[in-house]
Amino acid sequence: MMKSFDRRKFITALGLSATATAIATTSSFTNELVENSLTLIPADTPSDIKITHVSTFRVKRAIFIKIETNAGVTGWGEASSNSPMEVVESFILKTMPKTIIGMNPFDTELIWNRLFWENHDLGPSGALSYAIAGIDLALWDIKGKILNQPVYNLLGGRFLTEVPAYCGIPLKGGKIPVEKAVERALKVASLGYKTIKLRMQIREYNLNPIPDPTLRYYEAVRKALPQDIDLFVDPNEGYTASRAIEVGKALQAMGMKYFESPVPRENNKDLAEVVDALDIPVMAGEKCYTRWEFRDLILEGNPDIINPDLIKAGGITEVKRIATVAQIFFKQIVPHNTKPTLGTAAALHLMASISNAGPLLEYVELDTYDEVMTCFDADQHLKLIDGKLRVPHSPGLGMEINEKKLQQIAK
Ligand SMILES: [Mg+2]
C-alpha cells in the first residue's frame, strides 16, 4: 500500500527553504533501495512521495500534461503538438504511466532514462521525445512546488534574470504578399520586440525556389523597420549549400545578424559549408532530438548557435545535458520555441541556469496561440517588457494553469 504523504508536515520540516542538505538529512527520509530496470540506487529523496496519476488535456496547438502525487502537489507540463497529437498523447497516457506511477517525482534522471530506453525501439526521436519532454516538465514543476523554489534554483541558480525575445513572421515560402509581411513586422515592432525573424518556410513548398523570395522580403521589411530593430532570416531548411551561401552572403552584406536553419537538418556537411562561407553566426538544431543528435550536429555541421526546443528535444532534463554538450564546444543556446506558456517558461528556467545562453529566445507568433493563452489567467501570462521576457520566479515552472478553463475548452 502506498503510504500517504503529509505535504504540510514535509514543508514545515524543510522550513520553507529546503536545500539538498536538508532533504538528505531530514529524519523522515529512508535509505531504502529503489529497484529499476538498470540497477539498484539508494533513495535519497523523500521516499514517501509518489506519482499517482497522469492525465492530458488537448487544446488547439498544445497538449498539457497533469501529474498528480500523493503529496497533494500537482505538476503541469506541455508536450509539443507538432506531430500528430494522438501519437504523443498515446505515449503519455497508455505507455508511460505504467512506468512512472509509484515512482518518486524527484527522480527525474531515472524517470527520463526509463522512459527513453524502455520505448527506444519505437523511435528515439520525434513523438517519443515530445512525450518524455511533457512528463519531464511536469516533474520539474512538482519538484519546484514541493521545495517552494523556482525551477532555475534546482538547476544550479541563475546566470540571468531576463532574456530578449524575438518574434517570427511566417511567409509560406513566399506566398504572403510582401506588403502584408511589412505590415506584420511593424505590428510586431510596436509590441516592443527588438528582433524579428522572417520565417520563410521554403522547404515546406520547394527547395531552392526560382525566383528566390527571400531577398525581396528582407529588403522591404528592413527598409520599413526602425534601424534599432534587428531582422534575420530562417529559410526553414529550404536551401542546398550553394544557394544558402549565395543568399546568406547577400543578406550578410545588407547587415543581417544571424542566419537560421539554412539547409536540411539531414545534411550536416552542407551546414558546415555554409558556416565556413559566412561571417555571421549560423544557427541550427530545431529538428534535433536528444544529446546524441546535437553531438552530431555540432561535430559535423559546426553551427555557431544551436536551437534545441525544450518540449521537443526531451525536456528540461535533456536540454540541460545538451547545453553541456554545447558548452564543450563553446556553442551558445538559443532555444527554438513555439509555445507561449509552459514551453517558454521551461526555456527561460533552462537559459537562466546555463553559462552559454545565447542572446535571444523565440517567442509566440501573433494571433496563433489565442486558445492556449486562455488556459492561463492573465496574471499568469509571461510579460514582454522592453522586448525582454523575465525568468519566472514563482515555485515550479512559475505558471499555473486555470484547470476549470482548460477543462471547458479541452477536446
Ligand atoms: Mg526555425
Side-chain angles (χ1 to χ4, degrees), residues 121-148:
D121 286 349
L122 295 172
S125 303
L128 174 59
S129 183
Y130 292 180
I132 294 175
I135 286 176
D136 186 71
L137 259 60
L139 295 179
W140 280 100
D141 194 37
I142 290 170
K143 294 202 289 188
K145 286 171 176 169
I146 288 178
L147 297 176
N148 204 31

Side-chain angles (χ1 to χ4, degrees), residues 197 234 236 260-261 286 336:
K197 177 174 89 178
D234 176 0
N236 298 102
E260 181 182 330
S261 302
E286 71 174 72
H336 175 264

